Amino acid sequence: MYQRHRTKRNRLSIALSAVLVVPAAPMAFAQEQAEPANQAPVRDAETDGATELDKVVVTGSRIARDTFNSPSPVQVINREETTLTEFNSTAGVLQSNAITGGSAQINNSFGTLVVDGGGGVNTLSLRGLGATRTLLLLNGRRVAPAGSRGAVGSADLNVLPNILIDRVEILKDGASSIYGSDAVAGVVNIITRQKVDSPVVEFQHNATQHGGGDETRWSVMGGASGDDWWVSGSLELYHRSEMAVGDRDWASGCPRPLFGLDEATGEYGADDPIDPATGKPKCWTIDDNGVTMNLIGTPNGVGVPGPGSLGYYGTNFPGEDSGLPPGMDRFNRWRPNPAVAEGDFPGYEGVDYYGRDAFEPRLLNKSLVSPTKNVTGFLQGAKALDALGEAELYFEVLAHRRESSQTGYRQLTLDYPVNSPLLPAMFDGLPRYSAPPGNGATNGQDVAVRAFIGFGNYRAEQIVDFYRATAGLKGFIGKSWNYDFSLSHAESDADYMIESFLTDRYARSLDVVAAGNGFACRDPSGGCVAAPVLNVDTVGGRLPRDWVNYIFRPTWGNTTYDESTINLTVDGPVFDLPHGTAYGAFGAEYRQAEIDDAPAPDSVTGNLYGLTSSQPTRGKDSVREAFAEVELPLLSGVTGVNELTLNVSGRYTHYDSYGGDTTYKIGLLYSPTEWMSLRASNGTSFRAPALFEQFLGATTSTASSSGDPCNDYGSLPQADPVRVNCASEGLPGDFNQNNSIWVETRGGQETGLAAETSKARTAGIILQPNLPEGLGELSFAADYFDIEVENGVKRLAAAETLKLCYSGTAADFQARNGLCNLVTRGAATSTLEVVTGYVNISVDKVRGWDFNLRYVLGVGPGELRATAQVTHFTEQSGKTFPGDPIKNRNGILNSPEYSGQLDLTYQLQDWQLRYGLEWIDGQDSYAFLADGDQDLYDAYKQTYKMYVDDYHLSHLSLKYTGDGWSLTGGVRNLADKEPPRISGRVIDIIGNAPLYSGYDFLGRSFFMNFTKKF
């Protein structure tokens, strides 16, 4: 009863249908492919001695059909392809350009940067619309979010199994009416093998040529079955080693501002500041991820300029009469130099903005690729019941643990209060350098001297436990209808740690009294250790170990995310039409989710010195949905119409938090002949903000004063918008921010966050011409997409807000349009205040084309398969506030207009040889930033490198299949291609490379995969 009449011929026919109708990747489904796990249990029927093809549920529809034909574009990638492409994890496969079309992804290369989901997370974003708008399914059912910290809201790709995956189906089309509110940009469905007759073990190792970032995976799968039951499962161990910044020359050799174009050579960097120690351009300037270190800040003083300093940093500019003795200038930043005996501060030389030290060797220890250890187990099975309509009881259990970590670098600003006994006598009686910090670090006293210290490395860790259990019952209603009822529950439980200075201990250590030959804490409770006196060792980061151990501690928080789902779907024939039977699917779904992020107590109380304070993020929401889908065969087998099918779906969604709305989708498939098909769809979506977007705990924090865009703005070119905008605020050209930037982050409920709506349209053509014998098989698809999100939800980071505000046009800046509406500068103190949080973006829009070409030809004794995929964005635009103009970011840095992939595979008996080519076109941000201002465009082009050329990666692999075993090996990034270089003035960079998932940070790497079936 459980087993169906299913011939090899039928299975192959379905596979070939997928290959031809959805020509997306080099697919060759094996004939022994198992039934898809989300397949409806459809009876076989014999008519005139022929066996009817099994019906399968293809991603993008709830209706079972006997072909992969659908009105929406679906890409299919099978297990064999993922092995040949050398990826060592499902995350790597899903984040490749073949699926994402060049869209930026949160992957392993984000190191210590703060991302939604916490350190070590991997998420998936289709069309560049964000992970919260991409739905991830496992066997047709939702994969719940997992991760750490308060911004958990998307599925973590780390939790997915690898060896048991049969294929991946990607719907690059909105499908909210089919699957629910978050299927805005598309749906990715991971489908596992079901029956596994024999145990299989697999080992894969990926090794980088230059060290760091190596990956190893051990996997085993097996199963058992009887006449009316089966069970299968897998267990996997995955390890990735750390790759530090210092492991790659391009990241650590010399990150530079790249100021100025050398007309003779065409190279940027002609105006980069020169390091007097080497006579070469200065590396690790503050503009390029360096930090101010090994110097002190004071009120303006007179002193001797250090090597490489221009001087005039306090109140004067070059060319002005300073009124000072020859060789003496005003400064407010000083570097220790025992040879200096003149000036206000003997033993210190004056330095300007680009004369500051911004590099020390421990910066090279920062994580470029996070290390991780993952353990993943998956178990599934089914039992026929002989009841309830020949029902089948099924289950799935997924369990996962991730232990990841990152190494970062911290600057320590040590504020010595006015008249502190820890200060040398020459600093007595100074006026204040800055007002008392708002965090109480100086016990309410004015700051006389601030030491900028290169403290060293810190560590962050995450331990994420995730499990998901699903149970369901599916069977028949009457003779022709199917039902599927399922219950699912998932939990993510994450502990996370970061090492941090504690403000209360820091403050206590500065409140000292004389004791013997040194100093002691006025309040010795808790083992207080006095702060070090200000001297060369302190400024140079050589700090007493007992003091460091006292103020620098690990702090732990915990995040849990629970999600429960109940789903009921029925499908079957609705009524007969002249040209076929209309089929329908109807159902209801209930989902409830809850998040509880409890940051470390010291974070809640704002006791993490130099880091953001965080309040708990706690909230829950539930949604009730009812949906219907009907497919109507309008015409078939008549002149000019081989097939004309209409698909209509609708869903009513009601959130407890945001109320209800309806969504719909209409799709049409028209085939005038057997070798040509036209398809189109139009649909809507309604998405309530994710839990973390709604309930993010309000935070207040301070950011480093070095983040003020107006610091030393007078050294910028005359036409630079930052210089223009800073000057409009009445700041002196040598302005230097002495106060921390005040940042207020608000949760969605506080900012009146609204639900977002969107529209998605697609149109495409599929060609499968019958070529003359001997010329092979050809299929081609071109699909147009147009997705527009209204009231889209986005979080604005303080640094991003400041950067984009001050680099915008003078008109927008002075009118406080757009992001500048969130920035305030104090009239008296010039202190910056920035409001951030989740806001509704008025418009976020993407349009473009997907092109897919597949060609198969017998060449000699073997077969050649060629597959090409190209995504062409024609628009990637948006605006933040209703009054803002829409700006198209298409083709700017990290938003390529084109991306593509070519696969060439030659199979000869038991051998397969594959060559792969990835391509991302060049990008240019000059015109976008200049916003139509020709003078600004010219100034940008002469000053900063804000473009990259086309980027290509080549890969080669070879597979041999023996009797029950296979061995695959190859090389990724054959040419050892490095990422391109830009100036770090607009987007985040690593070294001088854009932080963008489309570029390979690992360099040339080698892989080997061994699989054995017993």
Side-chain angles (χ1 to χ4, degrees):
M1 177 196 60
Y2 171 75
Q3 294 183 345
R4 312 295 182 195
H5 295 89
R6 199 170 180 197
T7 66
K8 289 185 177 181
R9 180 174 180 271
N10 290 338
R11 289 196 298 267
L12 184 58
S13 297
I14 296 174
L16 289 176
S17 177
V19 171
L20 295 177
V21 177
V22 195
M27 298 168 293
F29 293 149
Q31 293 188 0
E32 56 270 21
Q33 172 190 331
E35 293 181 349
N38 63 339
Q39 176 181 327
V42 181
R43 288 188 179 92
D44 289 330
E46 295 189 6
T47 305
D48 297 330
T51 303
E52 182 184 293
L53 291 178
D54 281 352
K55 294 183 177 180
V56 296
V57 176
V58 179
T59 301
S61 174
R62 299 277 187 175
I63 298 173
R65 52 173 57 85
D66 57 9
T67 74
F68 276 73
N69 246 347
S70 72
S72 297
V74 179
Q75 177 181 342
V76 183
I77 299 178
N78 73 344
R79 168 71 179 171
E80 180 183 19
E81 182 195 358
T82 63
T83 301
L84 280 171
T85 51
E86 305 127 52
F87 293 111
N88 205 344
S89 67
T90 304
V93 175
L94 295 180
Q95 292 179 330
S96 69
N97 288 336
I99 292 177
T100 64
S103 300
Q105 308 297 313
I106 302 298
N107 62 7
N108 303 318
S109 300
F110 276 70
T112 56
L113 294 181
V114 177
V115 297
D116 290 347
V121 74
N122 282 254
T123 56
L124 181 64
S125 169
L126 295 178
R127 306 297 191 202
L129 291 175
T132 56
R133 299 189 188 124
T134 299
L135 179 60
L136 185 67
L137 306 175
L138 180 62
N139 292 327
R141 291 172 282 274
R142 290 170 172 268
V143 179
S148 61
R149 298 188 176 272
V152 175
S154 304
D156 181 5
L157 304 180
N158 289 297
V159 309
L160 297 172
N162 293 277
I163 189 173
L164 204 61
I165 290 177
D166 181 71
R167 69 181 185 274
V168 179
E169 296 178 0
I170 307 102
L171 173 71
K172 295 185 177 181
D173 184 13
S176 290
S177 62
I178 304 294
Y179 292 107
S181 60
D182 43 0
V184 176
V187 180
V188 175
N189 191 8
I190 313 296
I191 299 174
T192 62
R193 311 180 193 187
Q194 289 194 346
K195 284 188 175 181
V196 179
D197 297 329
S198 303
V200 178
V201 296
E202 184 174 77
F203 170 79
Q204 181 160 336
H205 182 69
N206 291 41
T208 61
Q209 177 175 316
H210 305 290
D214 290 0
E215 298 174 284
T216 302
R217 177 170 55 85
W218 292 90
S219 306
V220 60
M221 70 175 178
S225 62
D227 291 338
D228 60 357
W229 64 274
W230 62 269
V231 64
S232 61
S234 64
L235 178 65
E236 298 178 319
L237 307 177
Y238 171 82
H239 175 261
R240 181 177 64 247
S241 65
E242 182 176 37
M243 187 175 82
V245 170
D247 290 333
R248 296 296 180 270
D249 289 342
W250 59 264
S252 62
C254 192
R256 294 162 46 189
L258 299 182
F259 287 165
L261 174 65
D262 187 325
E263 297 286 358
T265 65
E267 292 290 325
Y268 283 83
D271 295 333
D272 282 358
I274 300 298
D275 189 338
T278 64
K280 297 179 180 180
K282 189 176 182 66
C283 301
W284 289 96
T285 63
I286 299 172
D287 294 312
D288 291 280
N289 292 345
V291 292
T292 298
M293 63 184 70
N294 305 333
L295 53 81
I296 61 173
T298 70
N300 291 336
V302 176
V304 177
S309 293
L310 297 175
Y312 309 107
Y313 199 78
T315 57
N316 298 92
F317 294 97
E320 294 185 359
D321 182 9
S322 67
L324 299 177
M328 304 289 282
D329 294 312
R330 290 187 175 91
F331 292 92
N332 56 18
R333 294 291 190 275
W334 309 84
R335 181 169 50 213
N337 185 348
V340 174
E342 302 175 273
D344 291 337
F345 307 121
Y348 289 87
E349 61 187 15
V351 292
D352 61 16
Y353 188 75
Y354 288 110
R356 305 178 189 182
D357 290 336
F359 170 75
E360 68 116 327
R362 288 177 294 182
L363 274 165
L364 302 181
N365 297 332
K366 292 172 57 177
S367 296
L368 184 52
V369 172
S370 299
T372 189
K373 294 180 180 178
N374 299 348
V375 180
T376 306
F378 184 71
L379 185 67
Q380 60 183 351
K383 173 71 168 67
L385 299 182
D386 284 329
L388 301 176
E390 300 183 21
E392 176 182 299
L393 180 66
Y394 61 89
F395 75 92
E396 291 177 3
V397 178
L398 172 64
H400 170 83
R401 164 167 279 211
R402 167 166 59 91
E403 298 179 3
S404 53
S405 65
Q406 298 82 37
T407 300
Y409 185 89
R410 286 292 301 271
Q411 176 202 61
L412 172 62
T413 55
L414 185 52
D415 286 339
Y416 288 92
V418 171
N419 297 322
S420 169
L422 299 173
L423 285 172
M426 64 179 162
F427 297 112
D428 287 344
L430 281 179
R432 74 178 189 183
Y433 169 77
S434 76
N439 57 12
T442 60
N443 304 294
Q445 300 183 66
D446 288 341
V447 178
V449 178
R450 174 171 292 162
F452 296 91
I453 300 169
F455 175 78
N457 298 120
Y458 71 88
R459 186 172 177 82
E461 296 179 3
Q462 306 83 35
I463 303 174
V464 182
D465 291 314
F466 175 84
Y467 89 87
R468 170 182 178 266
T470 300
L473 191 70
K474 59 185 178 182
F476 302 111
I477 302 174
K479 295 183 178 180
S480 55
W481 280 74
N482 314 299
Y483 72 87
D484 190 340
F485 175 76
S486 64
L487 302 170
S488 182
H489 179 73
E491 291 186 9
S492 171
D493 188 341
D495 294 319
Y496 57 93
M497 183 277 292
I498 186 171
E499 294 177 315
S500 176
F501 308 108
L502 301 184
T503 305
D504 59 349
R505 295 191 175 199
Y506 171 101
R508 199 177 297 131
S509 75
L510 284 172
D511 185 14
V512 299
V513 294
N517 295 325
F519 300 94
C521 299
R522 190 183 304 273
D523 177 7
S525 62
C528 179
V529 178
V533 298
L534 180 63
N535 56 30
V536 173
D537 284 338
T538 299
V539 177
R542 296 176 291 277
L543 303 171
R545 177 49 51 187
D546 58 344
W547 181 68
V548 170
N549 292 339
Y550 172 66
I551 69 167
F552 191 65
R553 309 293 299 172
T555 62
W556 287 89
N558 176 263
T559 308
T560 60
Y561 193 102
D562 300 344
E563 183 174 278
S564 299
T565 304
I566 304 173
N567 181 279
L568 173 64
T569 302
V570 296
D571 71 279
V574 181
F575 49 81
D576 290 330
L577 293 174
H579 293 274
T581 301
Y583 285 85
F586 309 90
E589 184 167 293
Y590 172 80
R591 296 193 307 277
Q592 178 177 290
E594 181 174 2
I595 189 172
D596 187 346
D597 175 58
D602 285 305
S603 179
V604 175
T605 59
N607 198 38
L608 301 184
Y609 182 72
L611 294 180
T612 302
S613 66
S614 300
Q615 298 300 309
T617 297
R618 295 191 176 104
K620 61 182 178 180
D621 203 358
S622 60
V623 57
R624 297 164 179 84
E625 299 178 295
F627 55 88
E629 179 187 4
V630 178
E631 189 164 278
L632 306 172
L634 302 181
L635 290 173
S636 177
V638 301
T639 302
V641 182
N642 185 63
E643 178 185 358
L644 180 62
T645 300
L646 177 68
N647 184 284
V648 180
S649 59
R651 177 178 291 249
Y652 176 73
T653 301
H654 189 277
Y655 282 91
D656 285 351
S657 58
Y658 282 89
D661 202 352
T662 57
T663 57
Y664 71 87
K665 184 175 182 180
I666 301 173
L668 186 68
L669 178 68
Y670 168 52
S671 300
T673 68
E674 291 185 353
W675 58 269
M676 175 188 290
S677 295
L678 303 173
R679 57 190 176 194
S681 67
N682 182 54
T684 62
S685 71
F686 165 77
R687 187 184 80 89
L691 292 182
F692 73 91
E693 294 168 336
Q694 296 183 49
F695 302 109
L696 180 73
T699 64
T700 56
S701 63
T702 56
S704 172
S705 59
S706 64
D708 192 326
C710 293
N711 283 331
D712 193 36
Y713 75 85
S715 64
L716 298 175
Q718 289 284 346
D720 190 297
V722 174
R723 177 167 181 161
V724 173
N725 291 330
C726 291
S728 72
E729 293 185 305
L731 301 173
D734 61 346
F735 172 78
N736 192 76
Q737 181 63 262
N738 293 330
N739 299 306
S740 297
I741 300 170
W742 182 258
V743 180
E744 180 182 0
T745 303
R746 301 171 181 173
Q749 287 189 326
E750 295 180 88
T751 57
L753 197 63
E756 64 181 32
T757 59
S758 67
K759 299 177 181 179
R761 307 172 185 87
T762 66
I765 182 171
I766 307 165
L767 302 176
Q768 307 162 61
N770 295 317
L771 301 180
E773 186 175 352
L775 294 184
E777 300 175 2
L778 174 68
S779 56
F780 172 79
D783 289 288
Y784 172 79
F785 58 88
D786 183 343
I787 303 175
E788 182 175 351
V789 179
E790 298 181 352
N791 296 318
V793 178
K794 181 181 179 181
R795 182 178 183 178
L796 301 175
E800 176 187 22
T801 301
L802 287 171
K803 184 181 292 186
L804 294 177
C805 169
Y806 276 86
S807 62
T809 64
D812 284 343
F813 182 82
Q814 293 176 19
R816 281 300 190 259
N817 289 334
L819 296 178
C820 291
N821 186 44
L822 305 175
V823 178
T824 303
R825 187 180 292 276
T829 64
S830 298
T831 301
L832 278 176
E833 297 182 8
V834 185
V835 175
T836 69
Y838 290 97
V839 299
N840 289 107
I841 298 174
S842 295
V843 174
D844 201 356
K845 187 173 183 179
V846 293
R847 293 188 300 153
W849 288 85
D850 287 327
F851 300 98
N852 296 286
L853 176 69
R854 180 179 182 273
Y855 183 61
V856 181
L857 177 67
V859 177
E863 181 181 79
L864 175 67
R865 289 180 296 168
T867 303
Q869 303 172 70
V870 174
T871 296
H872 173 210
F873 283 99
T874 58
E875 181 177 357
Q876 301 177 73
S877 64
K879 62 179 181 179
T880 305
F881 299 103
D884 295 346
I886 294 180
K887 293 187 177 181
N888 189 0
R889 64 184 185 277
N890 195 38
I892 72 170
L893 294 171
N894 287 10
S895 298
E897 183 177 349
Y898 287 92
S899 66
Q901 182 165 319
L902 171 68
D903 281 279
L904 299 175
T905 303
Y906 184 72
Q907 182 162 1
L908 176 61
Q909 297 179 352
D910 298 327
W911 295 87
Q912 279 185 285
L913 177 65
R914 173 194 177 260
Y915 169 76
L917 174 66
E918 297 178 33
W919 164 59
I920 297 172
D921 75 324
Q923 298 138 58
D924 183 332
S925 289
Y926 293 118
F928 177 80
L929 294 172
D931 197 23
D933 188 325
Q934 185 62 43
D935 291 338
L936 188 55
Y937 176 87
D938 294 338
Y940 268 133
K941 200 159 189 178
Q942 290 297 317
T943 307
Y944 306 120
K945 187 177 188 299
M946 295 180 177
Y947 76 92
V948 297
D949 293 322
D950 284 17
Y951 184 80
H952 301 90
L953 290 176
S954 293
H955 317 295
L956 190 66
S957 59
L958 179 66
K959 179 179 181 180
Y960 177 78
T961 303
D963 185 11
W965 64 275
S966 65
L967 181 65
T968 308
V971 184
R972 287 190 62 80
N973 194 351
L974 275 169
D976 201 20
K977 181 84 170 183
E978 294 181 353
R981 299 192 311 158
I982 62 168
S983 299
R985 303 290 294 186
V986 180
I987 61 174
D988 289 323
I989 60 174
I990 298 176
N992 278 119
L995 181 58
Y996 171 56
S997 59
Y999 300 135
D1000 180 34
F1001 290 169
L1002 295 175
R1004 184 183 292 120
S1005 60
F1006 307 89
F1007 90 101
M1008 186 273 288
N1009 177 287
F1010 176 75
T1011 304
K1012 171 64 177 174
K1013 180 178 181 181
F1014 294 92

